[in-house]
Amino acid sequence: MTGPKEIMVPEAQADKLTQHADTPAGASEHEDYSRHIPVMLEEVVSALQPEAGKLYVDGTFGAGGYTKRILKTGAEVLAIDRDPNAIAAGQAVVAEYQGRLRLVQARFSQMEDVLSDVQPDGVVLDIGVSSMQIDEADRGFSFQKDGPLDMRMSSQGLSAADVVNQYKMGDLARIFNFLGEERHAGRIARMIEKRRESEPFSRTRDLANAIEMLVGRHPKDRIHPATRVFQALRIYVNDELGELARALIAAERSLKPGGRLVVVTFHSLEDRIVKRFFADRAGGGGSRHLPEAHMRQGSFTPAVKGAVGASEEEAERNPRARSAKLRAGIRTEYPPLKADYSIFGLPTLPVLPETDNAKRKSS
């Protein structure tokens, strides 16, 4: 696995990389990254409670929405992103805040290595793909605009095209079923296996059209029939669920007592992992008839009650917020609990290169 990198980008290149498409299909592809709207910003700040002079980790820098808001309180931020484009675009923010922002290219699961034994006062994670990545056709995250079948957040490793054209039919079906909750997973996998023999898939629209021709589309369908397959491929290629599980463990190990962990998720697979983590880390587990000494001491207490959703006003203004859920916890004084990845219930899937098998599988 490639280690974390701090990257300084020439000003001209950074300016070029700040251009993106955050507009409907057919609109300009050269809008500024600042058009990206951070989801549940007020709720995140309320749960994180940033203060001047303290250190916070933004594990998913993206366009810097959370980071900039935290910096405005006078706090310091260590921001992490695996996407080199986000790192390049963020150099203007680094310059603006003159020493209070450190921007590192890494996976958020690597935050322990990036922090180098420094204990932060808070960690915030915004899980999933950013709107900038979706809007950039050449990244291959969406079929709304035709592009290469890529989907790699870090631009390294196995691409979605590699998976579609090389994996066995049964493995594809499992990926589509578990990560996309696609009810036609087997049929779609068989279609892909047959079609790629004569012509491999290389473009997003090609795969989307092939799935639509196979499954069909009713006029009343809310989503395109390829949506769940694309979601599954994106989650798999970037090991998003495994990354999330490892990041939660890393945050537990890194945070100082009283530090806050705030996580925003966008679909049930992610939220389930976060919910299970906080439930497991709440401690307890013993009988009420046993002495307190036999109870397992928790590493987190709740910072909010259950899951918090976006306000109706925000959901109306920003469609991406409609499925968002925020969960948060406060680090206790007790040591971190054992890193038992079986608590997350991760599905057993083919292991990506450079990925630790034990951390992708449930026991």
Side-chain angles (χ1 to χ4, degrees):
M1 179 182 292
T2 304
K5 297 185 288 185
E6 283 192 87
I7 296 182
M8 297 302 294
V9 180
E11 185 176 353
Q13 185 179 353
D15 289 343
K16 181 179 179 182
L17 287 168
T18 59
Q19 297 175 334
H20 83 298
D22 197 21
T23 52
S28 170
E29 295 189 12
H30 301 289
E31 302 293 338
D32 189 85
Y33 263 28
S34 63
R35 287 182 61 91
H36 173 65
I37 304 171
V39 171
M40 297 185 69
L41 180 58
E42 298 306 321
E43 291 85 352
V44 165
V45 172
S46 176
L48 192 64
Q49 298 187 6
E51 297 179 22
K54 293 188 175 182
L55 174 65
Y56 299 87
V57 174
D58 181 352
T60 46
F61 176 75
Y66 294 159
T67 286
K68 286 182 278 189
R69 183 60 178 273
I70 296 168
L71 287 166
K72 287 180 180 178
T73 68
E76 297 181 7
V77 175
L78 168 61
I80 300 170
D81 205 295
R82 68 164 86 176
D83 188 340
N85 288 6
I87 298 296
Q91 296 306 311
V93 188
V94 174
E96 179 181 356
Y97 286 92
Q98 301 179 351
R100 287 198 290 119
L101 171 60
R102 180 184 168 205
L103 188 54
V104 180
Q105 184 182 342
R107 297 170 182 264
F108 53 42
S109 62
Q110 295 175 292
M111 73 176 75
E112 276 187 283
D113 296 330
V114 176
L115 283 163
S116 301
D117 296 325
V118 175
Q119 289 186 299
D121 297 279
V123 174
V124 59
L125 304 173
D126 176 353
I127 309 304
V129 68
S130 74
S131 63
M132 295 92 65
Q133 291 167 328
I134 291 175
D135 291 335
E136 294 173 5
D138 61 353
R139 302 297 297 274
F141 285 100
S142 172
F143 50 82
Q144 298 302 318
K145 301 172 185 177
D146 189 38
L149 192 56
D150 194 327
M151 302 194 191
R152 296 171 296 178
M153 292 181 183
S154 64
S155 301
Q156 298 177 343
L158 217 61
S159 71
D162 294 328
V163 174
V164 167
N165 292 315
Q166 297 174 16
Y167 275 35
K168 297 177 181 178
M169 186 270 291
D171 289 338
L172 289 176
R174 287 182 62 79
I175 291 169
F176 300 158
N177 180 33
F178 283 111
L179 302 184
E181 299 176 319
E182 171 55 62
R183 62 191 179 96
H184 300 293
R187 290 178 61 202
I188 294 171
R190 285 191 292 273
M191 176 275 293
I192 288 173
E193 184 180 52
K194 183 177 181 180
R195 197 335 266 281
R196 72 190 185 190
E197 292 178 0
S198 58
E199 183 183 0
F201 290 93
S202 63
R203 309 289 296 180
T204 56
R205 284 269 178 88
D206 182 23
L207 178 59
N209 291 339
I211 294 171
E212 183 176 7
M213 287 182 64
L214 174 73
V215 176
R217 186 177 188 182
H218 192 276
K220 293 184 179 180
D221 288 346
R222 291 194 309 112
I223 63 173
H224 190 281
T227 299
R228 296 184 184 278
V229 168
F230 271 67
Q231 171 186 298
L233 287 170
R234 189 203 79 219
I235 292 173
Y236 178 77
V237 164
N238 296 290
D239 188 21
E240 291 181 29
L241 302 187
E243 273 294 298
L244 173 57
R246 293 188 287 275
L248 294 173
I249 297 295
E252 177 189 28
R253 291 171 175 166
S254 301
L255 280 166
K256 64 176 56 172
R260 290 170 174 255
L261 173 59
V262 181
V263 189
V264 178
T265 61
F266 293 90
H267 61 71
S268 60
L269 294 173
E270 300 164 347
D271 181 61
R272 192 179 305 137
I273 287 173
V274 179
K275 181 179 179 180
R276 287 179 175 180
F277 173 76
F278 279 128
D280 182 77
R281 267 37 191 174
S287 167
R288 69 179 186 273
H289 302 294
L290 292 175
E292 186 175 337
H294 289 272
M295 299 288 285
R296 189 181 63 160
Q297 302 294 350
S299 57
F300 280 95
T301 58
V304 297
K305 185 177 180 180
V308 176
S311 66
E312 291 185 10
E313 180 183 356
E314 180 178 7
E316 181 67 25
R317 185 177 67 249
N318 183 6
R320 186 169 179 256
R322 293 171 186 169
S323 62
K325 290 184 178 180
L326 180 152
R327 295 183 187 271
I330 303 171
R331 190 69 176 83
T332 69
E333 61 184 3
Y334 298 108
L337 301 179
K338 179 183 177 182
D340 178 8
Y341 289 88
S342 68
I343 67 172
F344 299 111
L346 298 177
T348 302
L349 298 171
V351 179
L352 284 166
E354 302 181 359
T355 302
D356 185 348
N357 183 36
K359 293 178 181 178
R360 283 182 61 83
K361 294 186 177 183
S362 59
S363 63

Short mmCIF file of all heavy atoms in Angstrom, two decimals, residues 29 136-151 159-162 164-165 191-192 195 199-211 226 229-230 233:
data_model
loop_
_atom_site.label_atom_id
_atom_site.label_comp_id
_atom_site.label_asym_id
_atom_site.label_seq_id
_atom_site.Cartn_x
_atom_site.Cartn_y
_atom_site.Cartn_z
N GLU A 29 -18.15 22.24 -17.65
CA GLU A 29 -17.34 21.33 -16.85
C GLU A 29 -16.18 22.09 -16.20
O GLU A 29 -15.19 21.49 -15.81
CB GLU A 29 -16.80 20.19 -17.72
CG GLU A 29 -17.89 19.29 -18.26
CD GLU A 29 -17.34 18.05 -18.91
OE1 GLU A 29 -16.14 17.77 -18.74
OE2 GLU A 29 -18.10 17.35 -19.60
N GLU A 136 -17.00 14.49 -12.76
CA GLU A 136 -15.89 14.44 -13.70
C GLU A 136 -16.00 13.16 -14.53
O GLU A 136 -15.69 12.07 -14.05
CB GLU A 136 -14.55 14.49 -12.96
CG GLU A 136 -14.32 15.82 -12.25
CD GLU A 136 -13.09 15.81 -11.37
OE1 GLU A 136 -12.37 14.79 -11.37
OE2 GLU A 136 -12.86 16.81 -10.68
N ALA A 137 -16.41 13.30 -15.78
CA ALA A 137 -16.68 12.14 -16.62
C ALA A 137 -15.46 11.24 -16.77
O ALA A 137 -15.59 10.01 -16.82
CB ALA A 137 -17.16 12.60 -18.00
N ASP A 138 -14.27 11.82 -16.80
CA ASP A 138 -13.08 11.00 -17.03
C ASP A 138 -12.66 10.19 -15.81
O ASP A 138 -11.75 9.38 -15.89
CB ASP A 138 -11.91 11.86 -17.51
CG ASP A 138 -11.50 12.92 -16.51
OD1 ASP A 138 -12.18 13.09 -15.50
OD2 ASP A 138 -10.48 13.60 -16.76
N ARG A 139 -13.36 10.39 -14.66
CA ARG A 139 -13.10 9.55 -13.50
C ARG A 139 -13.92 8.26 -13.54
O ARG A 139 -13.63 7.31 -12.82
CB ARG A 139 -13.41 10.30 -12.19
CG ARG A 139 -12.64 11.60 -12.00
CD ARG A 139 -11.14 11.37 -11.91
NE ARG A 139 -10.77 10.56 -10.77
CZ ARG A 139 -10.57 11.04 -9.54
NH1 ARG A 139 -10.70 12.33 -9.31
NH2 ARG A 139 -10.19 10.23 -8.56
N GLY A 140 -14.99 8.24 -14.35
CA GLY A 140 -15.75 7.02 -14.57
C GLY A 140 -16.65 6.59 -13.43
O GLY A 140 -17.01 5.41 -13.32
N PHE A 141 -17.06 7.52 -12.54
CA PHE A 141 -17.92 7.15 -11.42
C PHE A 141 -19.39 7.09 -11.82
O PHE A 141 -20.20 6.48 -11.12
CB PHE A 141 -17.77 8.17 -10.28
CG PHE A 141 -16.48 8.01 -9.50
CD1 PHE A 141 -15.41 8.84 -9.75
CD2 PHE A 141 -16.35 7.03 -8.54
CE1 PHE A 141 -14.23 8.71 -9.04
CE2 PHE A 141 -15.18 6.88 -7.82
CZ PHE A 141 -14.11 7.73 -8.07
N SER A 142 -19.77 7.75 -12.89
CA SER A 142 -21.17 7.87 -13.26
C SER A 142 -21.36 7.61 -14.73
O SER A 142 -20.45 7.82 -15.54
CB SER A 142 -21.67 9.28 -12.90
OG SER A 142 -22.97 9.50 -13.40
N PHE A 143 -22.58 7.16 -15.09
CA PHE A 143 -22.91 6.96 -16.50
C PHE A 143 -23.76 8.11 -17.03
O PHE A 143 -24.25 8.06 -18.16
CB PHE A 143 -23.62 5.62 -16.72
CG PHE A 143 -24.78 5.39 -15.78
CD1 PHE A 143 -26.03 5.93 -16.03
CD2 PHE A 143 -24.59 4.62 -14.64
CE1 PHE A 143 -27.09 5.71 -15.16
CE2 PHE A 143 -25.65 4.40 -13.76
CZ PHE A 143 -26.90 4.95 -14.03
N GLN A 144 -23.96 9.15 -16.22
CA GLN A 144 -24.69 10.31 -16.71
C GLN A 144 -23.93 10.98 -17.86
O GLN A 144 -24.52 11.54 -18.77
CB GLN A 144 -24.92 11.31 -15.57
CG GLN A 144 -25.75 10.76 -14.43
CD GLN A 144 -27.13 10.29 -14.89
OE1 GLN A 144 -27.78 10.95 -15.69
NE2 GLN A 144 -27.56 9.13 -14.39
N LYS A 145 -22.61 10.92 -17.78
CA LYS A 145 -21.74 11.36 -18.87
C LYS A 145 -20.83 10.20 -19.21
O LYS A 145 -20.32 9.53 -18.32
CB LYS A 145 -20.90 12.57 -18.46
CG LYS A 145 -21.72 13.78 -18.01
CD LYS A 145 -20.80 14.85 -17.45
CE LYS A 145 -21.60 16.01 -16.88
NZ LYS A 145 -20.73 17.03 -16.24
N ASP A 146 -20.61 9.94 -20.48
CA ASP A 146 -19.77 8.81 -20.87
C ASP A 146 -18.32 9.08 -20.50
O ASP A 146 -17.80 10.20 -20.65
CB ASP A 146 -19.88 8.56 -22.37
CG ASP A 146 -19.20 7.26 -22.78
OD1 ASP A 146 -19.29 6.28 -22.02
OD2 ASP A 146 -18.57 7.23 -23.86
N GLY A 147 -17.66 8.06 -20.00
CA GLY A 147 -16.25 8.17 -19.64
C GLY A 147 -15.64 6.80 -19.48
O GLY A 147 -16.33 5.77 -19.58
N PRO A 148 -14.35 6.73 -19.21
CA PRO A 148 -13.70 5.43 -19.00
C PRO A 148 -14.26 4.76 -17.76
O PRO A 148 -14.58 5.42 -16.77
CB PRO A 148 -12.22 5.80 -18.83
CG PRO A 148 -12.23 7.22 -18.41
CD PRO A 148 -13.41 7.86 -19.07
N LEU A 149 -14.36 3.45 -17.78
CA LEU A 149 -14.91 2.68 -16.67
C LEU A 149 -13.81 2.52 -15.61
O LEU A 149 -13.12 1.52 -15.54
CB LEU A 149 -15.40 1.32 -17.16
CG LEU A 149 -16.27 0.47 -16.22
CD1 LEU A 149 -17.50 1.23 -15.78
CD2 LEU A 149 -16.65 -0.83 -16.91
N ASP A 150 -13.64 3.55 -14.79
CA ASP A 150 -12.49 3.63 -13.88
C ASP A 150 -12.93 3.51 -12.42
O ASP A 150 -12.78 2.49 -11.79
CB ASP A 150 -11.75 4.94 -14.13
CG ASP A 150 -10.37 4.95 -13.48
OD1 ASP A 150 -10.22 4.34 -12.40
OD2 ASP A 150 -9.45 5.57 -14.02
N MET A 151 -13.43 4.60 -11.84
CA MET A 151 -13.99 4.66 -10.48
C MET A 151 -12.96 4.65 -9.36
O MET A 151 -13.32 4.58 -8.19
CB MET A 151 -14.99 3.53 -10.22
CG MET A 151 -16.16 3.48 -11.17
SD MET A 151 -17.46 2.40 -10.56
CE MET A 151 -18.50 2.29 -12.01
N SER A 159 -9.04 -1.04 -11.64
CA SER A 159 -10.15 -0.19 -12.05
C SER A 159 -11.44 -1.01 -12.14
O SER A 159 -11.41 -2.25 -12.11
CB SER A 159 -9.86 0.46 -13.40
OG SER A 159 -9.91 -0.52 -14.43
N ALA A 160 -12.56 -0.30 -12.30
CA ALA A 160 -13.83 -1.00 -12.47
C ALA A 160 -13.82 -1.84 -13.74
O ALA A 160 -14.40 -2.94 -13.79
CB ALA A 160 -14.98 0.01 -12.51
N ALA A 161 -13.17 -1.35 -14.80
CA ALA A 161 -13.07 -2.11 -16.04
C ALA A 161 -12.30 -3.41 -15.81
O ALA A 161 -12.66 -4.47 -16.36
CB ALA A 161 -12.39 -1.28 -17.12
N ASP A 162 -11.23 -3.36 -15.01
CA ASP A 162 -10.48 -4.58 -14.68
C ASP A 162 -11.38 -5.60 -14.00
O ASP A 162 -11.34 -6.80 -14.32
CB ASP A 162 -9.30 -4.25 -13.77
CG ASP A 162 -8.25 -3.39 -14.44
OD1 ASP A 162 -8.06 -3.53 -15.66
OD2 ASP A 162 -7.62 -2.57 -13.74
N VAL A 164 -14.76 -5.81 -14.05
CA VAL A 164 -15.82 -6.27 -14.94
C VAL A 164 -15.30 -7.25 -15.99
O VAL A 164 -15.97 -8.24 -16.32
CB VAL A 164 -16.50 -5.05 -15.61
CG1 VAL A 164 -17.38 -5.49 -16.78
CG2 VAL A 164 -17.32 -4.27 -14.60
N ASN A 165 -14.11 -7.01 -16.49
CA ASN A 165 -13.60 -7.83 -17.60
C ASN A 165 -12.78 -9.04 -17.15
O ASN A 165 -12.54 -9.93 -17.97
CB ASN A 165 -12.74 -6.96 -18.52
CG ASN A 165 -13.55 -5.93 -19.27
OD1 ASN A 165 -14.62 -6.22 -19.79
ND2 ASN A 165 -13.06 -4.69 -19.30
N MET A 191 -24.52 -11.92 -18.13
CA MET A 191 -24.50 -11.10 -19.34
C MET A 191 -23.11 -10.52 -19.57
O MET A 191 -22.58 -10.53 -20.69
CB MET A 191 -25.53 -9.98 -19.23
CG MET A 191 -25.55 -8.99 -20.41
SD MET A 191 -24.35 -7.63 -20.27
CE MET A 191 -25.01 -6.73 -18.87
N ILE A 192 -22.50 -10.02 -18.50
CA ILE A 192 -21.16 -9.43 -18.62
C ILE A 192 -20.15 -10.47 -19.06
O ILE A 192 -19.33 -10.22 -19.94
CB ILE A 192 -20.75 -8.80 -17.26
CG1 ILE A 192 -21.57 -7.53 -17.00
CG2 ILE A 192 -19.25 -8.50 -17.23
CD1 ILE A 192 -21.36 -6.94 -15.63
N ARG A 195 -20.74 -11.17 -22.82
CA ARG A 195 -20.46 -10.05 -23.71
C ARG A 195 -18.97 -9.73 -23.81
O ARG A 195 -18.43 -9.43 -24.88
CB ARG A 195 -21.21 -8.83 -23.20
CG ARG A 195 -21.47 -7.59 -24.04
CD ARG A 195 -20.65 -7.17 -25.15
NE ARG A 195 -19.61 -6.21 -24.80
CZ ARG A 195 -19.81 -4.91 -24.62
NH1 ARG A 195 -21.00 -4.37 -24.73
NH2 ARG A 195 -18.78 -4.12 -24.32
N GLU A 199 -16.22 -8.44 -26.77
CA GLU A 199 -15.88 -7.02 -26.65
C GLU A 199 -15.84 -6.63 -25.17
O GLU A 199 -16.88 -6.48 -24.54
CB GLU A 199 -16.90 -6.16 -27.38
CG GLU A 199 -16.57 -4.67 -27.37
CD GLU A 199 -17.64 -3.83 -28.04
OE1 GLU A 199 -18.64 -4.40 -28.53
OE2 GLU A 199 -17.48 -2.60 -28.06
N PRO A 200 -14.65 -6.42 -24.63
CA PRO A 200 -14.55 -6.02 -23.23
C PRO A 200 -15.23 -4.67 -22.98
O PRO A 200 -15.35 -3.84 -23.89
CB PRO A 200 -13.04 -5.91 -22.99
CG PRO A 200 -12.42 -6.73 -24.08
CD PRO A 200 -13.33 -6.60 -25.26
N PHE A 201 -15.67 -4.46 -21.76
CA PHE A 201 -16.27 -3.19 -21.38
C PHE A 201 -15.16 -2.18 -21.03
O PHE A 201 -14.24 -2.51 -20.28
CB PHE A 201 -17.17 -3.36 -20.15
CG PHE A 201 -18.43 -4.13 -20.44
CD1 PHE A 201 -18.48 -5.51 -20.24
CD2 PHE A 201 -19.56 -3.48 -20.91
CE1 PHE A 201 -19.64 -6.22 -20.50
CE2 PHE A 201 -20.73 -4.18 -21.17
CZ PHE A 201 -20.77 -5.56 -20.97
N SER A 202 -15.26 -0.98 -21.58
CA SER A 202 -14.27 0.05 -21.28
C SER A 202 -14.89 1.41 -20.99
O SER A 202 -14.20 2.30 -20.49
CB SER A 202 -13.29 0.20 -22.45
OG SER A 202 -13.97 0.63 -23.62
N ARG A 203 -16.19 1.60 -21.27
CA ARG A 203 -16.84 2.89 -21.09
C ARG A 203 -18.06 2.76 -20.18
O ARG A 203 -18.74 1.72 -20.15
CB ARG A 203 -17.29 3.47 -22.44
CG ARG A 203 -16.21 3.51 -23.50
CD ARG A 203 -15.16 4.54 -23.23
NE ARG A 203 -15.69 5.92 -23.24
CZ ARG A 203 -14.92 6.99 -23.03
NH1 ARG A 203 -13.62 6.85 -22.76
NH2 ARG A 203 -15.46 8.20 -23.06
N THR A 204 -18.35 3.82 -19.45
CA THR A 204 -19.46 3.79 -18.49
C THR A 204 -20.80 3.61 -19.18
O THR A 204 -21.63 2.80 -18.74
CB THR A 204 -19.47 5.08 -17.66
OG1 THR A 204 -19.55 6.21 -18.52
CG2 THR A 204 -18.22 5.18 -16.80
N ARG A 205 -21.04 4.35 -20.23
CA ARG A 205 -22.33 4.26 -20.92
C ARG A 205 -22.53 2.88 -21.54
O ARG A 205 -23.66 2.38 -21.59
CB ARG A 205 -22.41 5.34 -22.00
CG ARG A 205 -22.67 6.75 -21.45
CD ARG A 205 -24.18 7.03 -21.41
NE ARG A 205 -24.45 8.35 -20.83
CZ ARG A 205 -24.48 9.47 -21.52
NH1 ARG A 205 -24.23 9.45 -22.83
NH2 ARG A 205 -24.75 10.62 -20.94
N ASP A 206 -21.46 2.26 -22.02
CA ASP A 206 -21.57 0.94 -22.62
C ASP A 206 -22.09 -0.06 -21.60
O ASP A 206 -23.03 -0.83 -21.88
CB ASP A 206 -20.19 0.51 -23.16
CG ASP A 206 -20.22 -0.84 -23.86
OD1 ASP A 206 -21.31 -1.25 -24.32
OD2 ASP A 206 -19.16 -1.48 -23.95
N LEU A 207 -21.52 -0.06 -20.41
CA LEU A 207 -21.97 -0.99 -19.37
C LEU A 207 -23.39 -0.66 -18.94
O LEU A 207 -24.23 -1.56 -18.80
CB LEU A 207 -21.03 -0.93 -18.17
CG LEU A 207 -21.42 -1.81 -16.97
CD1 LEU A 207 -21.50 -3.28 -17.37
CD2 LEU A 207 -20.43 -1.61 -15.82
N ALA A 208 -23.69 0.62 -18.75
CA ALA A 208 -25.03 1.02 -18.32
C ALA A 208 -26.08 0.62 -19.35
O ALA A 208 -27.16 0.10 -19.00
CB ALA A 208 -25.07 2.52 -18.07
N ASN A 209 -25.79 0.84 -20.63
CA ASN A 209 -26.75 0.48 -21.69
C ASN A 209 -26.96 -1.02 -21.77
O ASN A 209 -28.07 -1.50 -22.00
CB ASN A 209 -26.27 1.03 -23.03
CG ASN A 209 -26.34 2.54 -23.10
OD1 ASN A 209 -27.07 3.17 -22.34
ND2 ASN A 209 -25.58 3.14 -24.01
N ALA A 210 -25.87 -1.80 -21.59
CA ALA A 210 -25.98 -3.26 -21.64
C ALA A 210 -26.87 -3.77 -20.51
O ALA A 210 -27.68 -4.69 -20.70
CB ALA A 210 -24.59 -3.89 -21.57
N ILE A 211 -26.73 -3.18 -19.33
CA ILE A 211 -27.56 -3.58 -18.19
C ILE A 211 -29.01 -3.20 -18.44
O ILE A 211 -29.94 -3.98 -18.17
CB ILE A 211 -27.03 -2.95 -16.89
CG1 ILE A 211 -25.66 -3.52 -16.55
CG2 ILE A 211 -28.01 -3.18 -15.73
CD1 ILE A 211 -24.95 -2.82 -15.41
N ALA A 226 -28.89 0.44 -13.97
CA ALA A 226 -27.45 0.19 -13.74
C ALA A 226 -26.94 0.84 -12.47
O ALA A 226 -25.78 0.63 -12.09
CB ALA A 226 -26.65 0.71 -14.93
N VAL A 229 -25.43 -1.50 -9.72
CA VAL A 229 -24.19 -2.14 -10.17
C VAL A 229 -23.03 -1.15 -10.10
O VAL A 229 -21.92 -1.49 -9.65
CB VAL A 229 -24.34 -2.70 -11.59
CG1 VAL A 229 -22.99 -3.11 -12.17
CG2 VAL A 229 -25.29 -3.89 -11.58
N PHE A 230 -23.26 0.09 -10.54
CA PHE A 230 -22.21 1.10 -10.47
C PHE A 230 -21.84 1.40 -9.02
O PHE A 230 -20.66 1.57 -8.69
CB PHE A 230 -22.66 2.38 -11.19
CG PHE A 230 -22.31 2.38 -12.65
CD1 PHE A 230 -22.91 1.48 -13.53
CD2 PHE A 230 -21.37 3.26 -13.15
CE1 PHE A 230 -22.58 1.47 -14.88
CE2 PHE A 230 -21.03 3.26 -14.50
CZ PHE A 230 -21.63 2.37 -15.37
N LEU A 233 -19.65 -1.55 -7.83
CA LEU A 233 -18.29 -1.50 -8.38
C LEU A 233 -17.46 -0.42 -7.71
O LEU A 233 -16.29 -0.63 -7.39
CB LEU A 233 -18.35 -1.26 -9.89
CG LEU A 233 -18.82 -2.44 -10.74
CD1 LEU A 233 -19.07 -2.00 -12.18
CD2 LEU A 233 -17.78 -3.57 -10.71
#
